[in-house]
Amino acid sequence: MAAPRKPAEAGDLTPELLGTPQWTDQMVAAAGIPMYDVPFLTVGGGIGSFVTLDYLRIYGVPTGQMKVVSNIDHPWQTYEFLTRCSQIPRPERIRSDSSSRPDNIWGFPSYGLEEAWKEKNPIYLWQLLTEPILNDYWTPRAGTVFANLEREAKRIRYWDMLVKGQVRMVRKRAGGGYFTVVTPPEGAAPTKRIVFRSRFVHLAIGYPGLKFLPDLQEFRTKYSDYQHVVNAYEPHEQVYEFLKTRPGTVVIRGGGIVASRVLQRLFDDREKYGLKTQIIHIFRTFITGSHGPHIWARRKGGDGWAYQGFNYPKSVWGGQLKAQMRKLEGAERAAKYKEMGGTNTPKRRRWQEQMRAGRAGGYYHAVQGTVDRVEPTPDGRLVSYVRSSDGIIREPVADYIIDCTGLEADIAEHRVFADLLQYGGAYRNPVGRLEVERHFEVKGTASGDGALYASGSATLGGYFPGVDTFLGLQIAAQEIADDLAGRGFVRKMGPLRSTSQWFKWVFNSPV
Amino acid sequence: MVPTLIGRIQTRLFLLATVGVVMTLLIMPIVPGTDAPLGDLYVTGLLVLAAVGILGIGWELIYHLLMQFRWEKDWPTSFGLLTLVPEGLLLYFLLRSGAIGFIDPIPSSTFWTHFTVVWVSMWLVANGPMRVPFIRWRFRGGRVL
Ligand SMILES: Cc1cc2nc3c(=O)[nH]c(=O)nc-3n(C[C@H](O)[C@H](O)[C@H](O)COP(=O)(O)OP(=O)(O)OC[C@H]3O[C@@H](n4cnc5c(N)ncnc54)[C@H](O)[C@@H]3O)c2cc1C
């Protein structure tokens, strides 16, 4: 029996609003949704929103002119959750380099100088000087990143701008600008929704969602077992705890940095607690050495992995590849992405040692293969049916499977993007994500004198490839801030203001 | 900063004209190995900077070519420091042989003190402080303009 149709309560979205791409002020008022004005609004409240607000505050925008709508309390919350799950607790080191500092738009002094100074450790300086030739890249501790973000958030008065809530959609406004519909937390507002009316909106909502490998997803739903087949981005301490109680076997899937981290944890625990853990590592693409089309485009690799310091070649954040990509369109751009893409991990000396020891000791087995399906064994373990390209079929049995492929879901799985694609005029780029301009305005969404921007992983495939990184988010923020300056929202920052603001950062005085 | 070709050249010329000139003015009164009048030393020092700039365009072309063999198309920090050796040696021998006629002969200790101080200062500035006034510089491959 169908539920009786409830009339929309006052203060909620009406069918008329839902079906109309462009709203008028009267339509919103008629629905009884309270409306607030703010010239600039950023949605998400993660690292992307934070660095954008940081830039604009430093350029000179007062807190009263900007709001951030988010479902988290502090900007590093989601990042900290994901890094902790994927085995980077606060004392461990993250992937990005010393001068990728989301709390400092200048990237100077770098994290390396700061840690060297605070810990009185000149070895860090030697590592910075010799990276990546004689040493691994120096990278900061996760804890250093969080502590500094907190300091900067206080300095720019981040929490004065924060509005807690879930953004449902952004729609164009007749006459220019946008309406952002927010569902505030239970009891925080008298109505179910509130609306912000703004000239500029920025979307930085991070990953649209996690996606599992299809065979693992099938297993999880079919046997409703969410304990033994896990994604590395969800909490999975039970795996490591189980292995401490008795010898076990773990299957790892994927060849990226998360697989490296999980391996390190397994090897570390093996050493620390004298465990007997067996590890079977399945690579879909097994890389055996240097690879690439010609001598000028060859990446190092071996033992299954493709090796690269960061998630893209270093010059995408400012050098030659950044300059090249900026000029490419359509198929050419997609081809360039393909050429430098592919899963990869840094070649860290410690990881290499651990894997060497594992191979020699017969407890780490790396194989190429695709998995057809996963089934439970009668004794409650998991068997994977793995087919290699050479035709060999393997059927490894394991206690746990850790999916480290980190596949990102399609952008349309996020409601805000789905709505934007359907009603906002946005469309997809050559790699299927949101097409943005060089200054990160979402193409097709202009509304009068307003502009809608986006940054982060949803914009991968654009004129700038390194989007889903601290430095990439800062590059986007700078482009956005300069574009806003061009539109008269703030004055473009020149060398003098930049220098004086830098001193304020150094002395931790308000912007 | 990961450079592009045009960015390399611009950064070099810019730093020579700023950091290079300032360091030359500061160091010349105390360089060893010479008793030439300060005015002459300044002229010589500034001409050396000019030579580093002009020869440098050629060097940057070579570095850019070498960089193409690197997958990341990057230029590690240490390379920027170590290139002091070939560049210094070439310039020194050119001066010695009289191939650069408009610069008077310089005693070797004078040359190397001046050259090294200028080079290391430029390298230090390029690896951090440069980003303070010029926030767009590092994202543009070292272009100043
Ligand atoms: C494990 C891991 C390690 C990484 N390591 C590095 C690294 O070392 N260096 C580096 O440079 N980059 C790294 N990254 C990549 C990237 O820099 C971070 O993921 C960064 O947090 C991305 O910032 P963001 O703002 O795009 O997303 P997030 O920081 O995730 O913020 C987006 C926020 O938007 C919120 N949100 C979503 N939808 C809505 C809505 N409808 N309404 C309100 N709020 C909403 C989400 O809750 C989320 O908190 C890493 C990523 C991962 C997953």
Side-chain angles (χ1 to χ4, degrees):
Chain A
M1 197 177 78
R5 259 193 78 186
K6 266 201 313 197
E9 6 168 345
D12 196 1
L13 292 163
T14 60
E16 187 202 5
L17 285 173
L18 284 170
T20 317
Q22 191 188 51
W23 299 351
T24 62
D25 294 348
Q26 294 75 14
M27 285 165 71
V28 177
I33 308 179
M35 186 153 54
Y36 303 92
D37 282 313
V38 65
F40 179 90
L41 180 116
T42 172
V43 179
I47 310 288
S49 291
F50 177 77
V51 298
T52 308
L53 291 173
D54 194 36
Y55 259 99
L56 289 168
R57 291 284 289 127
I58 292 171
Y59 271 42
V61 184
T63 52
Q65 299 275 300
M66 303 192 286
K67 287 261 176 280
V68 46
V69 183
S70 178
N71 52 19
I72 53 176
D73 294 307
H74 45 269
W76 57 95
Q77 196 166 321
T78 300
Y79 178 73
E80 184 166 15
F81 172 80
L82 290 173
T83 45
R84 194 184 298 140
C85 288
S86 59
Q87 305 305 311
I88 320 173
R90 285 195 171 217
E92 287 287 327
R93 296 189 177 275
I94 65 167
R95 185 173 197 179
S96 56
D97 74 342
S98 177
S99 47
S100 294
R101 283 195 77 141
D103 66 301
N104 173 319
I105 67 169
W106 304 271
F108 177 75
S110 64
Y111 285 130
L113 296 181
E114 180 181 322
E115 282 192 19
W117 173 257
K118 288 201 171 139
E119 298 172 27
K120 303 283 173 273
N121 189 349
I123 290 178
Y124 293 164
L125 299 181
W126 172 247
Q127 193 179 342
L128 283 169
L129 177 67
T130 52
E131 72 178 19
I133 310 294
L134 302 181
N135 265 305
D136 297 341
Y137 272 112
W138 187 94
T139 75
R141 292 205 170 86
T144 304
V145 177
F146 303 140
N148 277 296
L149 280 169
E150 188 168 349
R151 170 193 188 262
E152 182 68 352
K154 285 191 185 132
R155 194 180 75 93
I156 65 164
R157 307 219 317 271
Y158 178 83
W159 286 281
D160 289 0
M161 298 177 277
L162 178 64
V163 175
K164 285 295 290 288
Q166 183 82 22
V167 169
R168 171 69 177 79
M169 61 181 63
V170 179
R171 289 282 172 97
K172 288 182 186 171
R173 171 177 173 270
Y178 306 87
F179 293 111
T180 303
V181 180
V182 179
T183 316
E186 280 285 323
T191 50
K192 178 155 182 217
R193 320 269 185 186
I194 58 173
V195 159
F196 284 96
R197 181 169 59 181
S198 23
R199 185 172 161 206
F200 304 110
V201 174
H202 170 236
L203 299 176
I205 47 188
Y207 303 107
L210 281 183
K211 204 169 118 191
F212 274 87
L213 286 167
D215 57 284
L216 297 182
Q217 186 56 50
E218 195 186 306
F219 176 89
R220 277 169 62 127
T221 21
K222 191 163 165 194
Y223 300 101
S224 47
D225 179 349
Y226 294 85
Q227 281 297 309
H228 296 95
V229 171
V230 295
N231 187 298
Y233 287 116
E234 44 179 24
H236 60 277
E237 272 299 307
Q238 77 270 16
V239 179
Y240 310 109
E241 289 306 320
F242 170 90
L243 293 169
K244 284 183 203 162
T245 62
R246 62 185 129 125
T249 302
V250 179
V251 162
I252 297 206
R253 307 268 302 265
I257 187 163
V258 173
S260 295
R261 296 268 183 210
V262 168
L263 271 178
Q264 183 191 344
R265 171 76 193 265
L266 292 169
F267 288 137
D268 283 351
D269 278 5
R270 221 175 176 279
E271 210 172 285
K272 207 150 98 197
Y273 306 105
L275 308 182
K276 296 272 170 287
T277 312
Q278 286 280 329
I279 302 160
I280 298 158
H281 189 169
I282 305 173
F283 289 89
R284 194 178 48 193
T285 315
F286 194 96
I287 294 180
T288 51
S290 281
H291 52 290
H294 52 79
I295 181 108
W296 282 348
R298 211 155 277 168
R299 176 163 53 194
K300 294 207 172 88
D303 299 314
W305 312 87
Y307 295 123
Q308 188 170 288
F310 311 107
N311 62 349
Y312 275 96
K314 198 156 191 224
S315 63
V316 308
W317 290 278
Q320 189 171 318
L321 282 169
K322 179 168 189 274
Q324 283 169 357
M325 193 67 98
R326 209 173 159 84
K327 299 193 200 106
L328 300 181
E329 301 283 352
E332 267 185 322
R333 207 199 299 161
K336 190 84 191 162
Y337 268 93
K338 199 150 185 222
E339 184 186 311
M340 65 186 183
T343 309
N344 59 71
T345 197
K347 187 174 186 179
R348 294 196 180 155
R349 284 163 174 79
R350 167 143 184 79
W351 294 346
Q352 292 291 321
E353 274 163 30
Q354 288 185 321
M355 287 189 293
R356 247 194 315 272
R359 282 189 294 266
Y363 54 86
Y364 171 61
H365 316 270
V367 296
Q368 187 279 326
T370 43
V371 180
D372 290 332
R373 61 184 196 285
V374 174
E375 282 176 3
T377 63
D379 61 346
R381 302 174 81 207
L382 311 159
V383 54
S384 305
Y385 294 88
V386 191
R387 197 156 26 88
S388 299
S389 50
D390 55 14
I392 298 176
I393 309 257
R394 292 187 179 84
E395 296 177 10
V397 176
D399 299 284
Y400 288 95
I401 299 178
I402 307 180
D403 178 1
C404 302
T405 55
L407 285 179
E408 280 176 48
D410 184 70
I411 54 168
E413 288 190 23
H414 195 291
R415 263 183 147 183
V416 173
F417 290 135
D419 196 82
L420 205 62
L421 290 167
Q422 194 178 355
Y423 296 102
Y427 53 95
R428 290 172 187 267
N429 67 27
V431 309
R433 308 219 189 160
L434 215 51
E435 175 78 340
V436 292
E437 294 280 2
R438 290 171 183 83
H439 59 275
F440 290 87
E441 182 177 356
V442 182
K443 287 193 187 176
T445 61
S447 172
D449 66 352
L452 178 84
Y453 305 94
S455 47
S457 96
T459 64
L460 185 76
Y463 301 104
F464 168 66
V467 284
D468 184 31
T469 59
F470 297 159
L471 199 55
L473 292 165
Q474 282 182 309
I475 289 173
Q478 191 178 88
E479 296 277 359
I480 293 167
D482 285 347
D483 189 59
L484 287 168
R487 294 166 189 267
F489 178 62
V490 60
R491 271 188 58 188
K492 189 166 172 171
M493 189 162 75
L496 290 181
R497 185 178 172 94
S498 180
T499 307
S500 72
Q501 285 294 322
W502 181 78
F503 278 103
K504 291 190 170 178
W505 182 91
V506 171
F507 296 111
N508 198 18
S509 45
V511 289
Chain B
M1 188 266 295
V2 181
T4 58
L5 178 58
I6 188 72
R8 288 173 168 282
I9 296 172
Q10 288 190 10
T11 298
R12 171 184 293 248
L13 298 180
F14 177 82
L15 288 176
L16 280 167
T18 52
V19 179
V21 168
V22 170
M23 292 317 289
T24 301
L25 294 179
L26 292 178
I27 194 76
M28 277 310 182
I30 52 167
V31 284
T34 177
D35 46 17
L38 189 56
D40 291 359
L41 280 176
Y42 278 150
V43 173
T44 308
L46 294 177
L47 288 175
V48 166
L49 295 186
V52 174
I54 294 162
L55 289 176
I57 296 176
W59 281 111
E60 296 296 2
L61 287 168
I62 296 173
Y63 302 152
H64 182 71
L65 177 74
L66 293 177
M67 191 174 79
Q68 301 312 309
F69 291 96
R70 296 183 58 75
W71 161 256
E72 311 239 359
K73 307 290 179 272
D74 64 338
W75 198 245
T77 315
S78 54
F79 290 12
L81 186 61
L82 293 175
T83 40
L84 172 158
V85 179
E87 292 207 27
L89 285 174
L90 178 72
L91 185 55
Y92 181 69
F93 286 114
L94 287 178
L95 291 175
R96 262 315 179 63
S97 65
I100 304 183
F102 58 85
I103 303 181
D104 291 340
I106 319 173
S108 86
S109 60
T110 313
F111 171 80
W112 284 109
T113 308
H114 171 241
F115 186 83
T116 311
V117 166
V118 167
W119 192 280
V120 172
S121 310
M122 284 175 40
W123 174 79
L124 284 173
V125 170
N127 277 290
M130 180 81 178
R131 307 200 288 256
V132 170
F134 305 111
I135 49 167
R136 298 169 190 91
W137 170 79
R138 66 168 162 160
F139 302 142
R140 287 193 198 154
R143 273 193 303 128
V144 183
L145 300 174

